[in-house]
Amino acid sequence: MAKVLIFGHQNPDTDAIGAAIAFASLQKELGVDAEAVALGTPNEETQFALDHFGLTAPRVVEKMAAETNDVMLVDHNEFQQSAADIEALNILAVVDHHRIANFQTANPLYYRAEPVGCTSTIVLKLYKENNIAVPAKIAGMMLSAIISDTLLFKSPTCTQEDIDAANELAKIAGVELESYGLDLLKAGTNLSDKSEAELLDLDAKSFPMADKTVRIAQVNTVDLDEVFARQDALRDAMLAENVKNGYDLFLLLVTNVLDSDSELLVAGEPREKITKAFNVNLENDRAFLPGVVSRKKQIVPQLTEAFEK
């Protein structure tokens, strides 16, 4: 049997990379020749976590079929967010915490999906179910993923299971959860040295909604004004991406990790779906969304419903 490649979604965040590393380590303990790979380079937050716990970033692989037929997916299932040749691969397992959409396989598989805030919370359960101890470095990476995905437990996606898992992993990793968590989140808010195209690609996913394709990018900051000082350039870059990739509507969700609020920047059509989904009026292509921090729970479901009506 060829090596099994394990990976998260495109434009990987800390959970996509952390869960891949953790799940690959577990599979190795279970006798599987597995390797964690990534569909992109780590962002600054993820690299901070990797460096802090002395781990090497997984190698970047865009296509898998040339080296293996068998793969396992973490932190995603939708094919448009996966490897370029995902339809040609045999998916052995999925561990995820998102909606299930645009996904089908020819063969039976192991599928574990739970409505928690982070895939790494589920992976911790799998370690326990198999009576395998989590190595300290990997525990630190899993902890980082939970902190990142739940914004240090402020996101509405966060569950008590995530909080309990984070506290358990912090003890294994030997870090103070709150102080490390703030350092991690702040590491991901250094945006000044990035181009508009880089900002839009840091954490972006595409979603089919009715007969449209909606691209939703999210960036974290401690200063909304710093990001929106570049509004015109960002909007131009979003419109260019729409033309280049066939997106109908591009949303940039700029989230203040300290205040737990966000502001939307919108490019493309149909813009009236934004008004319907969030009960806001766009002014200068922007809309303030108090208390909104989660793309998965506070943006995608509402927008999907608006498109279906």
Side-chain angles (χ1 to χ4, degrees), residues 223-238:
D223 184 358
L224 292 175
D225 290 340
E226 179 185 8
V227 178
F228 282 97
R230 305 164 67 177
Q231 176 174 331
D232 290 345
L234 283 166
R235 182 176 49 212
D236 290 346
M238 293 161 71

Side-chain angles (χ1 to χ4, degrees), residues 60-88:
V60 176
V61 182
E62 295 181 359
K63 294 183 178 181
M64 315 284 173
E67 56 179 303
T68 189
N69 185 52
D70 296 325
V71 298
M72 297 181 182
L73 313 185
V74 296
D75 199 31
H76 77 295
N77 66 83
E78 299 187 48
F79 279 9
Q80 75 273 11
Q81 298 174 8
S82 198
D85 56 353
I86 188 64
E87 294 186 30

Side-chain angles (χ1 to χ4, degrees), residues 222-253:
V222 293
D223 184 358
L224 292 175
D225 290 340
E226 179 185 8
V227 178
F228 282 97
R230 305 164 67 177
Q231 176 174 331
D232 290 345
L234 283 166
R235 182 176 49 212
D236 290 346
M238 293 161 71
L239 290 170
E241 286 291 305
N242 287 353
V243 173
K244 178 182 176 182
N245 297 296
Y247 308 139
D248 296 285
L249 187 63
F250 200 130
L251 278 62
L252 174 61
L253 184 69

Side-chain angles (χ1 to χ4, degrees), residues 15-28:
D15 192 30
I17 288 181
I21 291 172
F23 194 50
S25 180
L26 174 61
Q27 291 300 317
K28 290 177 186 176

Side-chain angles (χ1 to χ4, degrees), residues 16-294:
I17 288 181
I21 291 172
F23 194 50
S25 180
L26 174 61
Q27 291 300 317
K28 290 177 186 176
E29 290 292 326
L30 296 174
V32 177
D33 183 14
E35 179 190 0
V37 295
L39 301 183
T41 56
N43 60 36
E44 287 181 305
E45 177 194 271
T46 308
Q47 192 61 55
F48 176 90
L50 290 166
D51 292 343
H52 188 93
F53 294 107
L55 292 169
T56 302
R59 64 189 176 97
V60 176
V61 182
E62 295 181 359
K63 294 183 178 181
M64 315 284 173
E67 56 179 303
T68 189
N69 185 52
D70 296 325
V71 298
M72 297 181 182
L73 313 185
V74 296
D75 199 31
H76 77 295
N77 66 83
E78 299 187 48
F79 279 9
Q80 75 273 11
Q81 298 174 8
S82 198
D85 56 353
I86 188 64
E87 294 186 30
L89 302 171
N90 181 36
I91 303 173
L92 299 177
V94 175
V95 183
D96 192 18
H97 68 131
H98 295 94
R99 71 176 190 173
I100 301 171
N102 312 307
F103 178 87
Q104 62 181 15
T105 63
N107 300 309
L109 74 161
Y110 177 85
Y111 201 111
R112 182 74 167 261
E114 297 187 19
V116 293
C118 182
T119 307
S120 291
T121 298
I122 307 170
V123 176
L124 176 60
K125 292 184 181 181
L126 295 174
Y127 271 89
K128 291 180 173 182
E129 290 167 11
N130 286 281
N131 296 312
I132 294 173
V134 182
K137 291 182 178 182
I138 290 176
M141 201 64 209
M142 295 166 70
L143 167 66
S144 302
I146 296 172
I147 291 168
S148 175
D149 266 15
T150 68
L151 289 180
L152 199 53
F153 316 135
K154 292 180 180 180
S155 171
T157 62
C158 184
T159 68
Q160 188 60 47
E161 290 184 69
D162 298 296
I163 296 170
D164 293 344
N167 279 282
E168 182 175 344
L169 291 165
K171 291 179 181 177
I172 298 172
V175 297
E176 201 286 314
L177 198 161
E178 289 289 333
S179 61
Y180 172 73
L182 286 173
D183 288 343
L184 176 75
L185 292 178
K186 288 178 181 178
T189 63
N190 180 21
L191 308 177
S192 60
D193 61 344
K194 292 179 174 58
S195 68
E196 284 74 30
E198 289 171 329
L199 282 180
L200 296 176
D201 205 40
L202 278 175
D203 181 8
K205 295 180 180 179
S206 300
F207 299 89
M209 296 185 184
D211 60 344
K212 305 295 184 182
T213 298
V214 181
R215 184 74 164 173
I216 307 176
Q218 184 171 18
V219 297
N220 291 337
T221 184
V222 293
D223 184 358
L224 292 175
D225 290 340
E226 179 185 8
V227 178
F228 282 97
R230 305 164 67 177
Q231 176 174 331
D232 290 345
L234 283 166
R235 182 176 49 212
D236 290 346
M238 293 161 71
L239 290 170
E241 286 291 305
N242 287 353
V243 173
K244 178 182 176 182
N245 297 296
Y247 308 139
D248 296 285
L249 187 63
F250 200 130
L251 278 62
L252 174 61
L253 184 69
V254 185
T255 299
N256 187 318
V257 296
L258 300 181
D259 296 340
S260 298
D261 294 320
S262 296
E263 190 152 0
L264 273 180
L265 179 63
V266 179
E269 297 290 345
R271 301 158 67 86
E272 67 271 11
K273 300 299 183 182
I274 306 295
T275 298
K276 183 180 293 186
F278 308 113
N279 194 29
V280 295
N281 292 316
L282 291 173
E283 296 183 11
N284 191 24
D285 301 319
R286 290 164 59 173
F288 184 68
L289 303 178
V292 171
V293 297
S294 171

